[in-house]
């Protein structure tokens, strides 16, 4: 099974792994859902105006109300950092590495942003409050438990993205709360235009995203993973969630005739090395068409697995469509 941090990175509304948990060996418990998943409806390019607001209702049905535009925002997961970057806002503090990427703040810029100790799973409440935030944004099923401890000192906003539409919605809501409506509309329009362009020239190749730190790996599914939710619009993506955690095998991956494989290596608990290199120890790995044809792409998990916002998704579209040509 995947480690707790790995599961949390791809969490669901039901607080299970974001993407079915896969085991690299052993007999499958059931066959994976198959078939073409490319939707008929195309992404809408028109962007509705964003109106400034002072309140909204979060994923848990909790009302978020602010007396003024938040100026100091602490991010407890990368979607928050992605959104703030799109809006031209630098977080008061963060607990992930997304900002260090070149198309965000870069290493020099990211070093100026304080890091909340405690890691992704258990960020320290006292450390969060030491930054005097007007607003704290976290992942609902991971950081929701912090809400009682933060109550009275700041406002906590729980987000829970599962699809690219969710992420766009959170961008719009954040733009409304911060008054950065024009920046929000610009970022949404740029992303939608890029997605629409990808849809106009779909690939006939089959793609798959796998993630993990060792031979125990996962497969991202379009119905519960923001990045994977993009793929059926411009490629064949032969995997759907079973709705529950299950055991898979490399035999099942082999059976899908995957032409292009995207690999997100996630290092936890001292694990190192690329996931693709570890899976190469299994003789079945080399029989997968993508592996055999040299079409395995190790991608930046900070962007592909954790970013989940319009900037990260734009990077994914650039890299994915180039690999699928």
């Amino acid at each position: 099974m995947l480690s707790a941090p790995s599961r949390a990175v791809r969490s669901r509304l039901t607080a299970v792994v974001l993407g079915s948990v896969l085991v690299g060996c052993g007999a499958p418990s059931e066959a994976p859902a198959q078939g073409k998943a490319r939707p008929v409806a195309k992404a809408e390019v028109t962007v509705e105006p964003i109106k400034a607001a002072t309140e909204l209702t979060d994923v848990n049905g909790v009302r978020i109300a602010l007396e003024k535009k938040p100026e100091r925002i602490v991010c407890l997961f990368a979607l928050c950092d992605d959104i703030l970057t799109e809006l031209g806002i630098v977080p008061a503090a963060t607990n992930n590495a997304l900002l260090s990427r070149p198309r965000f703040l870069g290493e020099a810029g990211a070093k100026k942003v304080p890091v909340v100790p405690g890691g992704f799973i258990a960020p320290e409440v006292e450390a969060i409050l030491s930054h005097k935030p007007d607003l704290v944004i976290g992942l609902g099923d991971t950081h929701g438990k912090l809400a009682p401890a933060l109550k009275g000192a700041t406002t906590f906003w729980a987000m829970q993205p599962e699809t690219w539409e969710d992420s766009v919605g959170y961008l719009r809501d954040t733009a409304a709360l911060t008054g950065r409506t024009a920046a929000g509309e610009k970022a949404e329009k740029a992303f939608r235009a890029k997605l629409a362009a990808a849809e106009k020239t779909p690939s006939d190749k089959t793609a798959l995203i796998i993630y993990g730190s060792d031979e125990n790996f996962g497969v991202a599914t379009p119905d519960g993973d923001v990045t994977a939710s993009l793929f059926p619009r411009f490629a064949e993506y032969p995997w759907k969630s079973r709705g529950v955690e299950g055991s898979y095998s490399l035999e099942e991956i082999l059976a899908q005739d995957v032409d292009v494989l995207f690999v997100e290596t996630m290092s936890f608990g001292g694990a190192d090395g690329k996931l693709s290199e570890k899976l190469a120890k299994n003789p079945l790995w080399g029989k997968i068409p993508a592996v055999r044809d040299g079409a395995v792409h190790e991608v930046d998990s900070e962007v592909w697995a954790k970013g989940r916002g319009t900037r990260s998704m734009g990077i994914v579209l650039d890299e994915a469509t180039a690999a699928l040509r």
Side-chain angles (χ1 to χ4, degrees), residues 124-171:
E124 297 178 6
V125 172
E126 291 185 3
I128 294 172
L129 295 178
S130 72
H131 298 290
K132 303 185 184 305
D134 303 311
L135 179 64
V136 177
I137 300 177
L139 187 62
D141 60 16
T142 301
H143 305 120
K145 61 182 180 294
L146 298 177
L150 296 172
K151 189 175 183 180
T154 187
T155 299
F156 176 74
W157 181 6
M159 295 182 176
Q160 195 72 49
E162 291 192 316
T163 66
W164 68 267
E165 292 95 337
D166 294 339
S167 292
V168 169
Y170 285 126
L171 168 72

Side-chain angles (χ1 to χ4, degrees), residues 44-260:
E44 178 58 60
V45 178
T46 302
V47 174
E48 295 295 327
I50 301 174
K51 297 182 180 179
T54 57
E55 64 179 68
L56 54 82
T57 301
D58 75 5
V59 68
N60 296 319
V62 177
R63 177 173 170 268
I64 305 298
L66 300 171
E67 295 181 358
K68 62 178 183 178
K69 298 174 185 177
E71 297 179 355
R72 297 186 59 79
I73 302 174
V74 171
C75 292
L76 300 183
F77 81 129
L79 173 58
C80 171
D81 296 273
D82 187 297
I83 289 173
L84 295 192
T85 300
E86 291 283 63
L87 299 180
I89 301 172
V90 177
T94 187
N95 70 341
N96 65 83
L98 183 66
L99 293 177
S100 67
R101 273 32 188 185
R103 287 171 66 175
F104 290 82
L105 298 183
E107 290 187 10
K111 288 180 179 178
K112 299 178 182 179
V113 181
V115 176
V116 177
F120 174 74
I121 298 295
E124 297 178 6
V125 172
E126 291 185 3
I128 294 172
L129 295 178
S130 72
H131 298 290
K132 303 185 184 305
D134 303 311
L135 179 64
V136 177
I137 300 177
L139 187 62
D141 60 16
T142 301
H143 305 120
K145 61 182 180 294
L146 298 177
L150 296 172
K151 189 175 183 180
T154 187
T155 299
F156 176 74
W157 181 6
M159 295 182 176
Q160 195 72 49
E162 291 192 316
T163 66
W164 68 267
E165 292 95 337
D166 294 339
S167 292
V168 169
Y170 285 126
L171 168 72
R172 292 178 61 84
D173 286 344
T174 308
L177 284 181
T178 59
R180 304 291 181 101
T181 56
E185 291 170 8
K186 180 180 179 180
E188 181 183 355
K189 185 175 182 178
F191 167 72
R192 286 184 176 278
K194 185 168 290 190
L195 180 57
E199 290 178 334
K200 289 181 180 179
T201 55
S203 173
D204 60 359
K205 295 180 180 178
T206 297
L208 202 64
I209 303 170
I210 66 172
Y211 63 92
S213 59
D214 51 33
E215 65 275 7
N216 297 318
F217 60 91
V219 170
T221 57
D223 51 347
D225 178 273
V226 173
T227 299
S229 73
L230 298 169
F231 274 73
R233 294 180 171 272
F234 55 83
E236 300 301 335
Y237 200 93
W239 216 283
K240 297 180 181 179
S241 174
R242 295 171 174 169
V244 294
E245 294 186 16
S247 294
Y248 295 95
S249 65
L250 274 180
E251 286 90 343
E252 290 179 283
I253 302 293
L254 178 61
Q256 300 307 310
D257 290 328
V258 178
D259 299 305
V260 182

